Amino acid sequence: MLETRLLNGGYRELQVLFDISAKIEKNRITAVIGPNGSGKSTFLKAISGLATIYSGKILYENRDITATPPHI
């Protein structure tokens, strides 16, 4: 349903995410876990279009939504 491929992102010049690949399947519970400062919130913000994506892809139902603004 939702997939990231080699996602790199962050805030302006500060890169926080490095090559994150993940698959979030329909009708499954998915948790994003890790220590403080590991990029969990930035990952969710990148998927939502609220953090800067430097490279990689975000796919929703096999459609590339990487450059889609958050208000659409």
Side-chain angles (χ1 to χ4, degrees), residues 5 12 14:
R5 293 183 186 165
R12 295 185 184 153
L14 178 62

Side-chain angles (χ1 to χ4, degrees), residues 7-10 15-20 38-40 42-43 46 54:
L7 191 66
N8 290 282
Q15 186 171 352
V16 177
L17 304 176
F18 297 87
D19 295 332
I20 304 297
S38 64
K40 300 176 301 290
T42 303
F43 176 62
Y54 305 131

Side-chain angles (χ1 to χ4, degrees), residues 35-47:
N36 292 347
S38 64
K40 300 176 301 290
S41 295
T42 303
F43 176 62
L44 297 174
K45 288 176 185 177
I47 290 171

Side-chain angles (χ1 to χ4, degrees), residues 20-69:
I20 304 297
S21 295
K23 286 186 180 180
I24 300 168
E25 298 178 12
K26 188 175 183 175
N27 298 322
R28 302 286 304 243
I29 296 172
T30 302
V32 179
I33 59 172
N36 292 347
S38 64
K40 300 176 301 290
S41 295
T42 303
F43 176 62
L44 297 174
K45 288 176 185 177
I47 290 171
S48 303
L50 300 174
T52 304
I53 298 171
Y54 305 131
S55 64
K57 292 188 180 218
I58 301 170
L59 304 169
Y60 178 70
E61 295 183 349
N62 294 318
R63 193 179 82 229
D64 189 350
I65 63 165
T66 307
T68 305

